Amino acid sequence: MNDFEAGRPLVLRGGTVLPMDGPPDARRVLPGTDVLVAGDTIAAVGPGLEVPEGTAEIDASGGIVLPGMIDTHRHMWQTALRGYGADWTLTQYFVWFYLEYGKLFRPEDVHAGNTLAAIEALDAGVTTVVDWSHGLRTPDHADAAADALRSVPGRYVLAYGNIQQPPAEWATAPELRDFVRRRITGDGLLGFQLAFDVLGDPSFPERPAFEVARDLGVAVTTHAGVWGATGDDGIRLMYEHGFMTPGTIYVHAASLSADSYHRIAATGGSVSVSTESEQSAGQGYPPTWALRAHGIPVSLSMDTSVWWSGDLFSAMRATLGADRSREHLEAHARSETVTHAALRADQVVDWATRGGAAALGRDDLGVLAPGRKADLVLIKNDGSPVSFPLLNPFGHVVFQAQRGDVHTVLVNGRVVKHEHRLVGIDLAAARDEVERTIDYLKGEMGEEAWEKGMNPDIPTTKVLDNPYTYTDYRSDSTHRL
């Protein structure tokens, strides 16, 4: 009998549980604690739980149990090009995907990217992903994206977008409503948003797309505060026309004024911070320092595997590092020393779990407590010297753990990874799909364009004149010993 067959209760025994159910000044750590799962729900949390006869058991001792992590912004369709744009700037990304080659992607290529992205998310303990899917040029592309997400046993939100058309065109097309009617069933495993950006045109051409979102009763996710692309004018237009809502997710928000942050805070929106992206591509400095100052809720995201990793361990680590780096830099500019760090490890773990749930309006996710959905992660690696000692669990999650330490993952009560191996997932088929996409794109672009796209020109670096360099040092008698 399969230990994890459907309907069989499951208990994780004796782990250090991070329930993520308290305020920052009272964040609980529960050592030697069990978590009992029944169906798709957490049934009980506590030490030495009595469980029904026949309950499957997982030894969580020496490990950390926390809610499944939630990524609120990932362009999953681009994952078939993992690492291709490692040396890109944001401008090069825009040119490649928006102007030149993004339009080459067929429905099957979107399917390949989404499938691989969904699998790698589960492997890293990310149980919910917002698929910021702005490559949906046709209804067939949209169906391919949804098919891929449905084929992998995670939890997803399809954020529907199309970078090849203005939002007012694709969002008002009858095909969009037909797609929602056919594919979004309200089962809690595949949600729906609209994904588009507001460029700041005074005529506010994005208004019809916002009206469609309002009619459908779905949230909008938008890249806001992206240097040189979207800024304060877009936020102001959204505010003046009444389209800033509590469900709106502002991605990056890294190049905004205090006034825009005040508008986001006042209307109850949240910000998805993609620190690796903001640091590398140039949207602006990761804004967690400003978001905390304005009281804006935060979630974390990875953006795209074309550049960066697909796991939230990297996101937490980079976010904490960027925030502290800025804090030190600004203090040093004032000839001061930071003696107590303002942002703590437990806070970024909260953003990676409960913060994402709050951004999506899912109070049944992001917390380990009876009655919540059984999306959870066990971090445990008995074969690793980094697994012990376990002194500060939050610090361990942020600075010590990595995807290879993810021992077990549950989504909706289903075991999708156990003993460091994915369960019931055909990785070979996903590899074949992606290889076909790569072969196709190479063929369409040509080898020269393919190589040039992956290896952009390197700017010339000027080495400063050094007054301590003496070209005639060895021949100058004044320098002889």
Side-chain angles (χ1 to χ4, degrees):
M1 180 174 64
N2 185 345
D3 284 347
F4 308 124
E5 64 184 351
R8 186 182 185 190
L10 170 67
V11 64
L12 289 86
R13 289 284 194 192
T16 296
V17 174
L18 307 180
M20 309 310 299
D21 60 351
D25 59 350
R27 200 87 70 192
R28 295 196 299 158
V29 175
L30 308 177
T33 297
D34 305 337
V35 179
L36 176 64
V37 172
D40 64 359
T41 304
I42 298 171
V45 178
L49 292 178
E50 293 187 10
V51 300
E53 184 177 353
T55 297
E57 293 199 8
I58 294 176
D59 178 11
S61 60
I64 300 170
V65 183
L66 70 157
M69 290 176 274
I70 298 173
D71 183 323
T72 52
H73 156 242
R74 188 181 301 197
H75 304 298
M76 298 175 74
W77 65 287
Q78 299 173 352
T79 305
L81 286 177
R82 180 192 311 288
Y84 181 88
D87 294 318
W88 281 352
T89 62
L90 194 62
T91 298
Q92 288 159 338
Y93 169 85
F94 285 152
V95 169
W96 203 97
F97 272 108
Y98 285 55
L99 301 179
E100 293 181 340
Y101 302 119
K103 62 190 73 174
L104 294 179
F105 281 67
R106 305 162 299 176
E108 53 263 48
D109 305 318
V110 170
H111 188 282
N114 270 30
T115 301
L116 183 58
I119 292 172
E120 77 164 333
L122 293 182
D123 186 57
V126 179
T127 55
T128 300
V129 184
V130 174
D131 176 21
W132 224 101
S133 196
H134 55 354
L136 306 183
R137 296 190 295 111
T138 70
D140 287 342
H141 286 76
D143 279 319
D147 287 343
L149 298 180
R150 286 294 194 185
S151 71
V152 180
R155 200 181 296 274
Y156 310 99
V157 176
L158 180 61
Y160 194 113
N162 179 2
I163 56 176
Q164 303 301 332
Q165 280 187 337
E169 292 184 17
W170 60 259
T172 58
E175 291 82 3
L176 175 71
R177 290 181 184 270
D178 177 65
F179 175 84
V180 174
R181 177 187 59 79
R182 290 187 295 106
R183 303 306 304 261
I184 308 303
T185 62
D187 64 356
L189 292 175
L190 182 61
F192 189 75
Q193 295 176 350
L194 292 190
F196 59 88
D197 297 337
V198 183
L199 303 182
D201 183 333
S203 67
F204 196 42
E206 300 85 5
R207 180 181 188 118
F210 278 108
E211 291 172 341
V212 170
R214 178 179 289 172
D215 290 345
L216 292 173
V218 300
V220 169
T221 177
T222 184
H223 293 107
V226 174
W227 180 262
T230 59
D232 295 319
D233 286 341
I235 297 294
R236 177 181 54 79
L237 288 165
M238 290 176 62
Y239 184 83
E240 291 175 351
H241 290 85
F243 291 114
M244 294 182 76
T245 70
T248 305
I249 299 176
Y250 305 86
V251 177
H252 301 306
S255 303
L256 295 175
S257 66
D259 187 66
S260 289
Y261 290 129
H262 282 310
R263 292 181 195 267
I264 293 171
T267 55
S270 66
V271 169
S272 177
V273 175
S274 298
T275 303
E276 286 193 338
S277 177
E278 290 130 22
Q279 286 181 320
S280 181
Q283 292 91 341
Y285 199 91
T288 48
W289 55 281
L291 303 178
R292 297 200 322 277
H294 290 85
I296 297 172
V298 178
S299 61
L300 300 182
S301 59
M302 289 314 306
D303 203 338
T304 171
S305 291
V306 166
W307 266 292
W308 306 289
S309 62
D311 69 80
L312 291 189
F313 296 109
S314 294
M316 289 186 283
R317 191 169 303 166
T319 299
L320 197 57
D323 192 285
R324 290 178 176 177
S325 178
R326 186 183 184 104
E327 188 177 17
H328 289 298
L329 183 66
E330 292 184 342
H332 295 172
R334 302 188 300 268
S335 297
E336 297 174 358
T337 298
V338 175
T339 59
H340 294 76
L343 184 61
R344 303 302 180 98
D346 67 304
Q347 186 63 61
V348 293
V349 176
D350 184 274
W351 291 345
T353 54
R354 188 168 59 168
L360 299 179
R362 293 293 301 263
D363 60 6
D364 56 345
L365 302 176
V367 173
L368 290 188
R372 306 295 181 108
K373 290 295 185 183
D375 292 11
L376 55 87
V377 176
L378 169 60
I379 298 171
K380 177 180 177 177
N381 190 347
D382 293 337
S384 169
V386 184
S387 66
F388 62 89
L390 182 54
L391 305 178
N392 179 343
F394 290 107
H396 198 96
V397 169
V398 175
F399 284 123
Q400 309 300 323
Q402 55 187 313
R403 72 163 59 236
D405 299 320
V406 174
H407 179 282
T408 297
V409 180
L410 274 71
V411 179
N412 215 38
R414 176 179 175 179
V415 176
V416 298
K417 184 177 184 180
H418 183 56
E419 294 182 341
H420 307 284
R421 297 186 66 86
L422 294 163
V423 176
I425 289 174
D426 191 343
L427 197 58
R431 184 194 302 271
D432 290 343
E433 259 199 285
V434 167
E435 288 178 350
R436 288 194 294 272
T437 285
I438 298 301
D439 289 343
Y440 160 74
L441 289 173
K442 279 185 176 181
E444 290 293 305
M445 293 172 60
E447 192 68 30
E448 182 178 353
W450 174 266
E451 291 297 325
K452 183 174 177 57
M454 188 163 45
N455 300 286
D457 295 336
I458 302 174
T460 301
T461 299
K462 176 175 171 31
V463 177
L464 297 175
D465 293 334
N466 187 341
Y468 298 103
T469 300
Y470 300 95
T471 57
D472 59 349
Y473 178 82
R474 294 184 181 278
S475 62
D476 190 338
S477 61
T478 62
H479 293 137
R480 294 174 182 169
L481 295 178

